[in-house]
Structure formats: structure tokens, C-alpha cells
Amino acid sequence: MAFLKTAFLAFLAAVGTTAPLLVNAEDESNLRVMFVNEFPDKVIDLYWENHELDKDHPDRRKLEARIGPRGGWHASETYFGHEFSYELDGKRHFVTPPPGNVNGEQFIMLSGETEGFRVRCEITVNSQQYMDYLDILVKPYWAPRAAARFLELVRSKYYDGVAFNRVVPKFLTQFGIGKDYFVRTKERELTIWDDFP
């Protein structure tokens, strides 16, 4: 799955650099949207909403894709202003992708009303004298691409055995240099586009 997502991001980067598309909020410009599901055990059915049809019309809501858990994704060719929906925990959520970047691309993590995705890290303290836990709350609405990439690395066990480089109490913890030289060299070559401000 990680390979497919990385390949898709590479495809978007290649297409974006050879055929830039300026997105204008005034018209129905083309928009490539990548929807990602980071829930550990929930499959999300993503629907295309057609508001031009009556509420009772059978084609008003059409299934766009079934997105698997744990980094499952769907790439949609759509246009600016188009609305999608999905149901999570008995509640329907509506998503209208914001304007894309200069390449007509947008990235959306489907997270419902969740506060974020909790990652539990098992850590050893004081030269492995005892074990403790560190919980990281990944908030996708802060930076969805970065959140998805971090969770992808967690699932691939990239951070297993990683040491903390620096801890400033109640401020920050720096870590991230993978213990396997060849894996971290390969991962360093994979880049993601910046999240939107």
C-alpha cells in the first residue's frame, strides 16, 4: 500500500511539473484529489454528491470508491466546488475540496470528527532500565500530507528502535533517524509536497 501511495504521489509530481494547471475559484477547473483513510479498522465508502438532482433521485449520491483502512486511498479526477460525502460512526460528513495547488492537486484525509490518530510508542528509559509509553496524537487537519506520511512510516516500522535525539520537557521531542541505514537512505529520497498553509 505504501508503494502505491508513493507511486501515486510521484505520478502527481511528474504530471504537475510537466503540465501545470492553474486553479481558478471562479470556474469549474479540473482538480485531482487524493482521499486517504487512516482509521485502523474502518472502511470508508466515499460518495459523489450531485446537487443538481432532487434529494429523492437515485443518482443524487453515487458511490465513488470504497477506501480501505490503514492508509487506503482513492484518487479522484473532479473539479473545484464538487462535493463528496462519507458516513462514519452513523454520521454523514460532507467534503468540498478546497482549491488545489498550481498543479490542480489536493490531498484530503477523511477523519470525521476525530480529534486525531493516536500512535502509542513503547520506549525504554535510562539505558533500558525500565519501559514506558509515549502517545503521539497525529492531527490530520494541521498538515494532512505530513500526517499521512508519518503514519505510513509508523506502519512500515521505520521508527522501531529509533532513539530520541533531544527532549525539551513540555516543549518538544526530536526523533526520526531510522536505525537501518539502507531503509532511511531509501526513504530520504521519497519526498512529499508541502501542505497548504
Side-chain angles (χ1 to χ4, degrees), residues 101-174:
N101 59 17
V102 296
N103 301 306
E105 181 268 344
Q106 186 55 269
F107 188 97
I108 296 177
M109 191 180 294
L110 303 174
S111 56
E113 294 179 347
T114 184
E115 174 187 18
F117 298 96
R118 192 167 305 281
V119 175
R120 172 154 277 192
C121 305
E122 193 174 280
I123 60 174
T124 55
V125 182
N126 291 339
S127 300
Q128 301 183 356
Q129 289 181 6
Y130 65 94
M131 190 182 76
D132 204 348
Y133 296 98
L134 169 73
D135 287 338
I136 297 173
L137 183 62
V138 179
K139 297 186 176 191
Y141 49 89
W142 282 3
R145 283 187 184 94
R149 179 69 175 135
F150 175 75
L151 293 169
E152 179 182 337
L153 289 170
V154 168
R155 280 191 302 276
S156 70
K157 301 188 182 308
Y158 175 82
Y159 295 110
D160 288 7
V162 168
F164 290 149
N165 301 75
R166 180 170 74 141
V167 176
V168 179
K170 298 184 181 183
F171 179 60
L172 68 85
T173 301
Q174 289 181 320

Side-chain angles (χ1 to χ4, degrees), residues 21-187:
L21 172 69
L22 295 175
V23 176
N24 181 352
E26 303 290 320
D27 63 17
E28 291 185 350
S29 297
N30 292 335
L31 186 63
R32 288 183 300 271
V33 182
M34 182 173 188
F35 295 95
V36 179
N37 173 10
E38 292 292 353
F39 285 98
D41 56 0
K42 297 176 183 176
V43 173
I44 294 179
D45 288 338
L46 181 69
Y47 290 89
W48 185 87
E49 297 286 331
N50 185 351
H51 292 290
E52 295 176 4
L53 300 175
D54 292 334
K55 287 185 179 189
D56 298 334
H57 196 283
D59 291 332
R60 180 177 168 91
R61 178 176 293 147
K62 285 196 162 202
L63 181 65
E64 169 93 7
R66 177 163 270 201
I67 306 173
R70 303 180 72 73
W73 58 273
H74 169 70
S76 179
E77 292 283 336
T78 186
Y79 55 86
F80 177 74
H82 186 191
E83 187 175 56
F84 296 85
S85 73
Y86 61 98
E87 192 171 309
L88 195 60
D89 297 327
K91 182 175 180 183
R92 181 149 304 275
H93 300 273
F94 294 89
V95 178
T96 303
N101 59 17
V102 296
N103 301 306
E105 181 268 344
Q106 186 55 269
F107 188 97
I108 296 177
M109 191 180 294
L110 303 174
S111 56
E113 294 179 347
T114 184
E115 174 187 18
F117 298 96
R118 192 167 305 281
V119 175
R120 172 154 277 192
C121 305
E122 193 174 280
I123 60 174
T124 55
V125 182
N126 291 339
S127 300
Q128 301 183 356
Q129 289 181 6
Y130 65 94
M131 190 182 76
D132 204 348
Y133 296 98
L134 169 73
D135 287 338
I136 297 173
L137 183 62
V138 179
K139 297 186 176 191
Y141 49 89
W142 282 3
R145 283 187 184 94
R149 179 69 175 135
F150 175 75
L151 293 169
E152 179 182 337
L153 289 170
V154 168
R155 280 191 302 276
S156 70
K157 301 188 182 308
Y158 175 82
Y159 295 110
D160 288 7
V162 168
F164 290 149
N165 301 75
R166 180 170 74 141
V167 176
V168 179
K170 298 184 181 183
F171 179 60
L172 68 85
T173 301
Q174 289 181 320
F175 68 97
I177 301 173
K179 67 178 183 173
D180 184 320
Y181 172 79
F182 296 106
V183 171
R184 78 173 177 253
T185 300
K186 183 186 112 198
E187 292 295 339

